[in-house]
Amino acid sequence: MHIEITDRAVKQLKYISEQEKNSNNALRITVDSGGCHGFQYFYDLMESNSFKEDDVVFENDGVKVVVDEISLGMIKGSKIDYTEELIGSQFQVSDNPQAASGCGCGISFEIKV
Amino acid sequence: MECSARPSLSRTPLIRNSIYHKVLRSVSTIPTSEPSLHTNEKEDKIHQGDHYVKIPDRGLLELYGSDTVKFLQGLITNDMPSISSGGDGFYAAFLNPVGRVMFDSFIHPKNLGTSFPQPTFLVECDSRIIPEIIKHMKKYLLRSNVKITDVSSFYQIWNVWGNKINNLWWRNQVPNPSATKLHSGALVLKENIAEIGCRDKRYPNMGLRLVLPVDIKPTVPNSFTELPSKEYIIRRILHGVPEGIHDFPQGEALPLQSNFDYMGGIDFRKGCYIGQELTFRTYHTGITRKRILPVQLYHEGESVPTTLELDRNSNFPLPPPSSNITVLNRKGRPVGSIGTSYHNIALALLKLDIIQNNDLVVDNGQGEKLRVKAFIPNWWPKVEDGKDTEEKPKETAVVI
């Protein structure tokens, strides 16, 4: 049950903290049903002191990523990355071992049964 | 790959000073040079007049909870917001992520009277695969506030048809019928023969679909008579209306091949749902080469049928569902497969460019090769001659 946070994601989260002058930021990643492939990633910024009971926190270089247990089951082993592409710059869950296929924009995915 | 419900702009050639009034739509490859055989517009002798039948093999799942509309919206091909505050139900398909049909269904709001809007919906589907449907739904449930209950044993689905059905569905009930004029602001009550149900719009004259408590019959005028359930199946085949597991083997057919577009089961403007990507792309850029059609089965040596003629005395062994249809003496892949069959008629998924072929055969499961003659339902949208597959968007010059 591990999640890797890439250097690019660390850099971007630090940048956000700097901009907002808030060193307590954490990135929450949630998986919910939706999108054209059935499941969808959601990204939220949260205060790192408002964790819930079933939250698991991953850290890299002081940057925190928070995933709840249900979502973790579907993204464990993935990388949390920050991509800058023509379609838009965004945090992204990549190399998800549980995902069978995904849609073009990388937000929706199908789960392996 | 497009993910959102917007056509990709890069495909639209930009022409200065012109506006496209027409967007490319999927076309079906029906050969238009030769006349194809159409089904009869008239009802079968037994089906003429006003009738009602119990619909066989249908079950209901009740979905209740604050996330129900959002949850179903992500799973089906039709647009939940249009029925989210109650009223008539609609037809829709559940697709898998690669865009193939898992189940056909009707989604009925359970109109709970004054306590509505409470998001409670009945999902009507084939009763023989209820466990699979629950499993499919539960996979996507996660933390959604939706409770799923099998309520099949509490309800019976009915089909009512005939000329008088318009007076049964939301008729106005004038408080004093002898009054010539109502005073302004008078409330006119509207009455309905069922709280739950809809007009079945898959085929224009299909009639009403009612969801009634299991021990209650539809309250219809005396002109309506009840027919046995098998007449529902026969009528469905005669008009080319597929339904249930035999016509939609799970995860095989595409929604456009299965006529969900013709039958009003797809909203092409809604946002993401499972399987949308392929459905939407096919609609805008693709060609539908196969569709479900009514066929007549006959024996070798008999003359080729020229009209779809039901023979109620016919009781020869019928091909099992999903039997392959092939062209006689031609090797290669099958050109279609059989769905629901009854007496001497059946529904079949067939390649549209071979439907005029008189050498189509299917094995009846006992070694005999039955002949297959296909007919095009008369209610299908007509493709005009000459503007078939190569239809170009029309331009209108606008001086700016």
Side-chain angles (χ1 to χ4, degrees):
Chain A
M1 290 276 234
H2 190 70
I3 280 177
E4 190 189 328
I5 308 164
T6 66
D7 293 344
R8 281 192 294 190
V10 169
K11 200 177 145 203
Q12 179 65 15
L13 273 169
K14 281 190 172 169
Y15 175 74
I16 292 170
S17 299
E18 222 172 83
Q19 291 287 302
E20 301 202 338
K21 298 190 174 62
N22 181 356
S23 56
N24 256 337
N25 272 337
L27 178 69
R28 177 182 283 286
I29 298 175
T30 322
V31 176
D32 210 343
S33 51
C36 52
H37 280 64
F39 295 97
Q40 209 174 336
Y41 303 114
F42 290 92
Y43 306 89
D44 280 304
L45 275 180
M46 62 177 285
E47 292 282 324
S48 63
N49 49 17
S50 60
F51 297 142
K52 292 189 192 118
E53 251 176 48
D54 66 338
D55 280 342
V56 182
V57 183
F58 298 91
E59 231 180 300
N60 182 3
D61 198 12
V63 162
K64 293 190 181 90
V65 168
V66 184
V67 188
D68 65 281
E69 253 176 63
I70 295 179
S71 305
L72 188 58
M74 288 182 278
I75 64 168
K76 57 188 175 191
S78 311
K79 277 186 205 157
I80 309 302
D81 198 4
Y82 182 76
T83 59
E84 290 173 274
E85 286 166 10
L86 271 180
I87 192 173
S89 301
Q90 58 179 340
F91 286 105
Q92 210 163 46
V93 177
S94 61
D95 302 334
N96 185 349
Q98 280 75 233
S101 66
C103 73
C105 46
I107 288 173
S108 177
F109 68 105
E110 181 189 356
I111 213 146
K112 281 180 196 160
V113 193
Chain B
M1 284 197 277
E2 298 105 68
C3 180
S4 66
R6 267 171 293 155
S8 123
L9 285 172
S10 59
R11 290 217 189 103
T12 319
L14 213 71
I15 294 176
R16 191 184 285 236
N17 290 352
S18 74
I19 289 174
Y20 283 121
H21 278 241
K22 219 164 183 177
V23 182
L24 271 180
R25 297 282 188 262
S26 119
V27 288
S28 299
T29 52
I30 306 171
T32 48
S33 48
E34 299 165 61
S36 305
L37 297 176
H38 283 82
T39 58
N40 203 334
E41 209 169 327
K42 257 174 76 179
E43 295 277 356
D44 176 77
K45 250 182 266 159
I46 290 193
H47 300 157
Q48 285 171 17
D50 301 334
H51 296 287
Y52 59 102
V53 291
K54 273 185 184 171
I55 300 176
D57 300 321
R58 299 300 277 180
L60 289 165
L61 293 176
E62 184 175 290
L63 271 69
Y64 172 83
S66 54
D67 294 329
T68 306
V69 171
K70 185 177 158 250
F71 176 68
L72 281 173
Q73 178 75 346
L75 292 182
I76 60 165
T77 53
N78 221 331
D79 191 35
M80 279 306 286
S82 64
I83 59 166
S84 60
S85 56
D88 291 9
F90 62 39
Y91 184 55
F94 287 77
L95 309 181
N96 66 14
V98 289
R100 293 188 181 259
V101 178
M102 297 292 283
F103 330 102
D104 60 317
S105 72
F106 278 87
I107 317 281
H108 304 283
K110 190 177 172 185
N111 299 312
L112 293 172
T114 50
S115 62
F116 210 84
Q118 256 187 358
T120 304
F121 293 87
L122 297 176
V123 176
E124 186 212 309
C125 46
D126 196 303
S127 58
R128 293 162 286 192
I129 43 165
I130 291 273
E132 278 100 320
I133 297 169
I134 295 179
K135 202 176 142 205
H136 178 79
M137 286 181 176
K138 287 209 165 151
K139 189 174 162 189
Y140 300 103
L141 208 52
L142 301 180
R143 30 188 125 52
S144 304
N145 177 17
V146 179
K147 287 199 173 53
I148 304 170
T149 328
D150 182 357
V151 292
S152 306
S153 56
F154 300 122
Y155 297 97
Q156 173 64 48
I157 324 272
W158 297 82
N159 178 210
V160 184
W161 74 87
N163 292 327
K164 297 205 182 81
I165 55 163
N166 287 336
N167 302 328
L168 300 175
W169 201 241
W170 292 111
R171 65 188 152 198
N172 290 318
Q173 196 192 52
V174 182
N176 177 6
S178 58
T180 50
K181 211 167 120 191
L182 293 173
H183 64 86
S184 59
L187 290 177
V188 177
L189 289 175
K190 281 196 164 183
E191 202 178 58
N192 199 7
I193 54 165
E195 277 303 321
I196 311 171
C198 60
R199 287 176 187 277
D200 188 340
K201 293 172 184 160
R202 291 175 297 176
Y203 145 67
N205 297 324
M206 197 73 201
L208 305 175
R209 202 170 181 90
L210 315 178
V211 181
L212 292 173
V214 76
D215 49 351
I216 289 180
K217 279 192 170 196
T219 43
V220 285
N222 292 335
S223 64
F224 286 84
T225 51
E226 186 174 351
L227 293 177
S229 283
K230 69 166 195 174
E231 295 301 333
Y232 174 78
I233 302 173
I234 291 171
R235 190 162 173 263
R236 207 160 66 59
I237 299 175
L238 285 172
H239 296 298
V241 178
E243 182 178 298
I245 52 172
H246 293 157
D247 293 321
F248 304 113
Q250 268 177 69
E252 286 182 26
L254 294 166
L256 301 188
Q257 289 178 351
S258 311
N259 308 342
F260 275 95
D261 50 347
Y262 288 179
M263 298 191 293
I266 306 176
D267 185 322
F268 288 103
R269 294 178 177 207
K270 73 176 277 194
C272 293
Y273 56 85
I274 298 173
Q276 185 222 21
E277 216 169 336
L278 181 68
T279 309
F280 191 71
R281 193 168 55 231
T282 313
Y283 179 59
H284 280 286
T285 63
I287 291 173
T288 301
R289 294 180 201 282
K290 286 181 181 178
R291 283 202 180 264
I292 297 178
L293 304 147
V295 298
Q296 186 163 333
L297 305 171
Y298 61 105
H299 298 283
E300 202 189 327
E302 290 173 1
S303 58
V304 181
T306 51
T307 53
L308 183 62
E309 203 75 54
L310 169 72
D311 176 8
R312 284 174 204 275
N313 296 321
S314 155
N315 58 0
F316 54 80
L318 290 165
S322 296
S323 295
N324 285 334
I325 298 172
T326 51
V327 181
L328 198 67
N329 299 330
R330 195 204 287 176
K331 282 188 184 146
R333 291 169 60 152
V335 292
S337 64
I338 285 282
T340 308
S341 53
Y342 220 103
H343 293 307
N344 64 329
I345 52 169
L347 288 172
L349 177 67
L350 270 178
K351 283 176 89 166
L352 292 169
D353 54 2
I354 52 94
I355 53 174
Q356 305 197 15
N357 195 313
N358 288 335
D359 288 322
L360 302 180
V361 289
V362 64
D363 196 295
N364 70 350
Q366 306 191 0
E368 194 203 342
K369 292 241 179 284
L370 291 172
R371 297 290 180 129
V372 177
K373 181 64 198 163
F375 294 87
I376 295 176
N378 65 74
W379 54 271
W380 275 17
K382 301 277 183 294
V383 182
E384 280 173 48
D385 238 348
K387 45 183 268 200
D388 199 358
T389 50
E390 288 302 309
E391 187 176 333
K392 293 274 189 317
K394 289 200 177 92
E395 301 164 14
T396 313
V398 175
V399 182
I400 299 169

